Amino acid sequence: MSATVTLHAPLAGVVLPLSAVPDPVFAGGLMGQGLAIEPLSSTLLAPCDGEISQVSNTGHAVTVRAANGAEILLHIGIDTVKLGGHGFATRVQKGDRVQRGQPLVDIDIDSVARRAPSLITVVVVTNSDDMALSLDASGLVEAGAPGFLTVTAQGAISHPGAVHGAESSALTASAVVAHEGGLHARPCALLQSVARRYPCQIDIHFAGQHANARSVVAVMGLGVGEGDSVSVHASGEQAAEALAAVVAALQTASHAGHAAVAAPVPVQARDDGKLGGVCAAPGLAVGTLVLLAEQERTVPERGHGVEPELAALNAALQKVRDRVAADVAQADKRGAHAESDIFGAHLALLEDPELAQAAERYILDGRSAAYAYRSAIRAQSEVLLGLGNALLAERVADLKDLERRVLDVLLGGEEAAPQLPAQAIVVADDLTPSQLTRLPREQLAGVVLARGGATNHVAILCRALAIPALVACGPAALALAAGGEALLNAGEGWLDAHADAATLDAARQDIAQREQRRRTLREQSAGQARTRDGVAIEVAANIANAAEARDAVLNGADGVGLLRTEFLFIDRHDAPTEDEQRAACQDVLDALEGRTAIIRTLDAGGDKDVPYLSLPPEDNPALGLRGIRTGFAMPAVLDAQLRALLQLKPLSRLRILLPMVADVADLQRVRQRLDELAAELGVSERPQLGVMIEVPSAALLADQLAEHADFLSIGTNDLTQYTLAMDRCHPALAANLDALHPSLLRLIALTVHGAAKHGKWVGVCGALASDPQATPVLVGLGVTELSVSPSLVPEIKDTVRRLDSSACQQLALDLQSLNSAQQVRARLQADAAALLR
């Protein structure tokens, strides 16, 4: 059987190139190569013999699989999915065998023409990267006319029986997308990383459209929102494993990086002469206004031959890939997780097959590599801007960033980093992440953007880097006079370019006082934290790597109260070896300069996705495989981690912490396995072994657990969600998910009382420990260790030193009789002055 199939015209009409289609997805070749027809007939015909592999439920699109394996999409009109099936009557269904010229869909031309932007019908081969196409037709064609398009398979010929068998073995599952903001850049990058681990075909279907799960741009182009239901289709080798892994990736909750920032509102014109905007990162700054003009680079349209241009594009992509990978590595080394995540998403876009193929199609049409890549990027940008989703629209900045970096390589003359004066407030139309990170941080006082949003990646970076930032200020921002001094109050959403000297001096004094207090607290943070009546409280740090351990030491931490080992290799697609885990944990111990470290075993599952673990999809992940349960389900993973920890030196400074323990049996099981592995390794010393109190059963059985554990550490984040029965990742419940609820205070008191029976200490490593308002309560409840964010160590130590423990004990007792977290916080606010002296 020939590998070449000749397609006949499915409609009568005028043949057009894809570039004439008023839809950037098709015009940019993102769905595949092919042709379009401005129809003059009203019945869509099968272009060849084959099998119906897909029929949209709205009838506007049909896919025919030809004998050579070509997937031929026939898409009637533009934006016709929105018609909900009006104007279309399908005559076939999925799985039907059809012959060339057989009617597939009857079209009410007049009805569709009145409702849709265009009747242009697209004929594309969606797997055209595996095919060679000859675009033969032009001008006016009759329905059923031969020679419309020829498609030649570039690999093995798919025989009809094989095609049918592959279809029958395809697996399908549904998933509800749990990522905050839906499938934007970073969730799509995660999805791509999961899909690339499997050799089979994996597609995401949504609202009558589908996308290759390996393509970040195609999946983003579906416009899938948080809480939307999609279907996943997998066929081929390891289809079952791939399906489970992709569904799990879709249903794993992740934050878009903007939860703490209010949703942007339209900026109203101010009547006080100040420039208004949306707060992207709070803070106060006085500085010199510096305007950064965006310059559009001129690119040649025509190329110097297909092969040289393809080679130039591939070389440029690889060079930028290497640079972005270096950016990720540097960010990881500094412990800059927000920066690492953002550039990791850029890396996924550079690996995107459909974006690269779209650029290659322009080159095949005689365009230059620079013109081709810019056109592919901008076609996808138009798709995202047209989806009506603010979060996806803000991802256009990431595409622009890649465009700029690739064009810099292709055209040469890479833009130099701007030279800034001291205390510069940079004003620009918009900034890309790499442009922001190239600005000299020591001279950058603030950022003001005419465009942008509080949820884009530049805003996330500004918050992570503590740079006050105002966005969405409008064209008036670009009319500011460069070189003048201005006062930026990003938290209140304004910039004053006309502030008088007295106002600027007062603001500088305020900034200096805040900075002086931070410096003073940091200088005093090295010593032990004791209450006024002499109770010692250990203030440790929650960290994710050695860089954060060094930062904890600089901030005066007494040790590490929680090392989250799942974050050491969170971006890995293959499991770390025992030696890699040992080395990473040893680096943390070495960075602590003699201090102790509590290292938690892998806490995977629920809202913590670990890409190299193919965890099965679950109806309720928070109640499924989580924490130590995952270790029990994957004993080889747990053993490798325990062996790595037993080889750390010195073991006297190591404390192992077990997450999600439900009862004593969980603890004893790990204790026994730790002894067995130590014997195998010839290790006589044992590190301390502690239990996280994260579920109500553990708090209620604290006295039993303390009998066998060396210490207890309360994870207030999970303990709160399980006690209050509120999902910690549910945005609508966030305001009510407060660990100062009286029920939580009673469980903490019960835990401390149970531990005291056996002379064991209790710490808190959850978010409540980082809340200065909660410090008197935890001290009063008898907690003797608080593990907080490294930067908060000085403030928490200062708070402890101003407290009287006996007064705190009475306060904690009184608070347990209140009715709500709101009442608790109101009481704490009222008593703050008396408590803190």
Side-chain angles (χ1 to χ4, degrees):
M1 182 175 294
S2 172
T4 299
V5 170
T6 299
L7 305 187
H8 290 219
L11 289 164
V14 178
V15 178
L16 302 169
L18 284 186
S19 59
V21 179
D23 183 318
V25 171
F26 291 117
L30 298 181
M31 290 298 291
Q33 297 183 65
L35 292 170
I37 299 176
E38 185 73 64
L40 298 174
S41 60
S42 58
T43 300
L44 184 74
L45 307 179
C48 62
D49 296 348
E51 180 180 344
I52 302 299
S53 60
Q54 181 262 342
V55 180
S56 71
N57 55 12
T58 55
H60 73 288
V62 177
T63 302
V64 179
R65 182 182 294 116
N68 67 348
E71 295 279 355
I72 303 150
L73 170 65
L74 308 162
H75 191 285
I76 307 165
I78 303 303
D79 287 345
T80 42
V81 66
K82 298 177 181 177
L83 303 186
H86 294 292
F88 304 105
T90 56
R91 297 197 189 186
V92 292
Q93 57 187 353
K94 183 178 178 179
D96 287 352
R97 300 291 303 177
V98 295
Q99 295 182 330
R100 186 188 68 229
Q102 180 177 332
L104 303 179
V105 182
D106 293 324
I107 312 165
D108 185 337
I109 292 287
D110 291 338
S111 174
V112 175
R114 286 194 302 270
R115 296 165 177 258
S118 172
L119 278 172
I120 289 180
T121 295
V122 177
V123 182
V124 295
V125 179
T126 59
N127 58 343
S128 53
D129 50 322
D130 297 326
M131 304 285 163
L133 275 67
S134 295
L135 310 178
D136 299 326
S138 61
L140 189 66
V141 296
E142 292 296 323
F148 178 73
L149 185 65
T150 57
V151 185
T152 303
Q154 298 187 25
I157 300 173
S158 299
H159 299 289
V163 170
H164 183 75
E167 177 62 28
S168 63
S169 65
L171 301 176
T172 303
S174 61
V176 176
V177 174
H179 297 280
E180 184 180 9
L183 296 183
H184 50 94
R186 279 174 288 163
C188 289
L190 167 65
L191 199 63
Q192 180 198 66
S193 71
V194 172
R196 289 174 64 183
R197 299 205 298 263
Y198 301 95
C200 56
Q201 177 66 32
I202 311 168
D203 294 300
I204 311 297
H205 291 239
F206 178 70
Q209 303 179 70
H210 64 90
N212 181 347
R214 293 177 176 83
S215 172
V216 173
V217 294
V219 176
M220 282 198 299
L222 294 176
V224 179
E226 181 181 355
D228 284 341
S229 181
V230 301
S231 61
V232 184
H233 300 249
S235 58
E237 187 180 350
Q238 298 183 37
E241 296 93 330
L243 189 69
V246 169
V247 168
L250 288 165
Q251 296 188 154
T252 297
S254 70
H255 295 292
H258 58 279
V261 179
V265 295
V267 177
Q268 301 295 321
R270 300 178 65 98
D271 55 10
D272 57 3
K274 297 175 182 176
L275 175 71
V278 172
C279 174
L284 195 65
V286 174
T288 304
L289 292 174
V290 177
L291 269 63
L292 296 185
E294 184 177 358
Q295 296 183 345
E296 177 90 344
R297 300 202 68 170
T298 301
V299 300
E301 180 174 353
R302 306 307 300 179
H304 298 289
V306 170
E307 292 304 322
E309 296 296 335
L310 283 175
L313 176 62
N314 290 331
L317 288 173
Q318 185 57 52
K319 191 167 186 177
V320 175
R321 212 174 279 128
D322 292 342
R323 290 177 178 177
V324 175
D327 290 340
V328 172
Q330 285 288 1
D332 284 338
K333 188 175 181 181
R334 298 194 311 272
H337 298 303
E339 193 174 330
S340 175
D341 288 347
I342 289 165
F343 287 123
H346 287 195
L347 203 55
L349 286 169
L350 285 165
E351 299 285 355
D352 192 289
E354 297 202 12
L355 196 56
Q357 289 160 19
E360 289 170 5
R361 291 179 192 119
Y362 282 106
I363 291 175
L364 292 172
D365 197 34
R367 311 299 175 87
S368 72
Y371 182 93
Y373 197 71
R374 171 176 283 178
S375 299
I377 288 284
R378 296 195 175 180
Q380 183 57 32
S381 297
E382 286 185 37
V383 173
L384 298 183
L385 289 169
L387 288 172
N389 181 311
L391 184 60
L392 290 175
E394 289 178 1
R395 297 292 85 86
V396 168
D398 299 305
L399 291 170
K400 285 177 61 180
D401 206 354
L402 293 182
E403 175 192 320
R404 181 187 60 78
R405 296 182 78 157
V406 172
L407 261 57
D408 281 346
V409 174
L410 286 169
L411 303 175
E414 187 171 345
E415 182 184 358
Q419 298 297 310
L420 301 181
Q423 294 300 299
I425 297 177
V426 167
V427 181
D429 179 50
D430 204 355
L431 285 177
T432 65
S434 70
Q435 286 175 320
L436 176 67
T437 55
R438 288 171 65 244
L439 295 174
R441 178 66 188 92
E442 61 276 7
Q443 273 123 310
L444 185 60
V447 170
V448 175
L449 301 180
R451 293 192 290 160
T455 62
N456 70 9
H457 283 161
V458 166
I460 294 170
L461 282 175
C462 284
R463 291 194 291 277
L465 298 170
I467 302 169
L470 205 60
V471 298
C473 298
L478 304 179
L480 293 169
E485 277 197 307
L487 169 59
L488 171 62
N489 191 324
E492 294 185 7
W494 53 263
L495 177 133
D496 188 353
H498 307 289
D500 57 31
T503 302
L504 293 175
D505 287 342
R508 288 191 188 96
Q509 187 175 0
D510 188 359
I511 295 169
Q513 287 173 348
R514 296 183 191 185
E515 184 56 36
Q516 180 58 46
R517 184 172 187 273
R518 281 193 291 266
R519 281 198 301 267
T520 300
L521 292 181
R522 187 163 177 168
E523 290 167 1
Q524 297 172 350
S525 65
Q528 189 179 49
R530 287 182 175 272
T531 63
R532 297 200 316 271
D533 53 342
V535 176
I537 303 295
E538 183 177 337
V539 182
N542 295 332
I543 67 164
N545 52 43
E548 290 188 4
R550 288 187 285 272
D551 190 32
V553 171
L554 290 174
N555 279 284
D558 298 322
V560 163
L562 177 64
L563 169 63
R564 309 175 181 94
T565 55
E566 61 274 8
F567 291 153
L568 284 171
F569 306 100
I570 192 66
D571 295 322
R572 288 273 296 261
H573 307 311
D574 55 329
T577 65
E578 181 181 315
D579 285 343
E580 287 175 320
Q581 294 185 68
R582 179 196 54 74
C585 292
Q586 187 65 58
D587 285 346
V588 169
L589 268 187
D590 293 344
L592 291 177
E593 301 176 2
R595 297 166 178 81
T596 59
I598 297 177
I599 298 181
R600 184 175 67 188
T601 59
L602 193 68
D603 187 13
D607 63 333
K608 298 185 183 75
D609 177 70
V610 177
Y612 58 80
L613 295 180
S614 298
L615 296 176
E618 299 187 72
D619 292 336
N620 195 334
L623 300 180
L625 282 182
R626 285 212 49 196
I628 198 61
R629 302 172 198 162
T630 305
F632 292 154
M634 300 179 172
V637 173
L638 180 59
D639 279 0
Q641 186 166 43
L642 293 178
R643 277 196 299 266
L645 293 175
L646 284 168
Q647 296 174 71
L648 299 184
K649 300 182 187 306
L651 280 176
S652 60
R653 291 202 284 115
L654 170 65
R655 298 167 180 168
I656 298 176
L657 184 61
L658 306 179
M660 295 301 296
V661 168
D663 52 37
V664 176
D666 290 343
L667 170 60
Q668 290 176 326
R669 183 173 174 181
V670 177
R671 175 82 76 181
Q672 179 181 348
R673 188 56 183 155
L674 199 64
D675 288 340
E676 292 169 352
L677 294 173
E680 291 175 13
L681 293 168
V683 175
S684 58
E685 188 178 3
R686 299 288 188 276
Q688 290 190 25
L689 185 62
V691 167
M692 284 198 82
I693 306 298
E694 298 175 278
V695 296
S697 66
L700 294 169
L701 299 175
D703 58 336
Q704 296 180 15
L705 289 166
E707 183 178 357
H708 301 277
D710 296 303
F711 64 96
L712 305 180
S713 184
I714 301 173
T716 54
N717 302 355
D718 275 317
L719 187 59
T720 303
Q721 83 162 338
Y722 293 125
T723 301
L724 300 181
M726 294 181 186
D727 185 349
R728 59 188 277 193
C729 298
H730 197 302
L733 301 176
N736 298 318
L737 204 70
D738 193 330
L740 280 177
H741 192 283
S743 62
L744 271 295
L745 303 185
R746 293 187 183 191
L747 287 176
I748 295 171
L750 190 63
T751 300
V752 172
H753 180 70
K757 289 183 179 180
H758 303 282
K760 306 297 172 60
W761 61 269
V762 176
V764 173
C765 60
L768 191 64
S770 294
D771 183 351
Q773 193 175 38
T775 304
V777 188
L778 296 174
V779 170
L781 288 169
V783 170
T784 57
E785 187 246 23
L786 301 174
S787 192
V788 305
S789 302
S791 61
L792 286 174
V793 169
E795 183 176 355
I796 298 299
K797 281 195 170 185
D798 178 68
T799 301
V800 169
R801 291 167 180 152
R802 297 161 64 192
L803 295 172
D804 179 89
S805 68
S806 58
C808 292
Q809 289 170 14
Q810 184 59 52
L811 171 71
L813 191 62
D814 294 344
L815 295 179
Q816 292 177 60
S817 65
L818 298 180
N819 298 327
S820 67
Q822 290 86 349
Q823 286 187 2
V824 171
R825 289 197 179 274
R827 171 69 183 275
L828 287 172
Q829 188 170 0
D831 291 358
L835 287 168
L836 300 170
R837 296 179 185 173

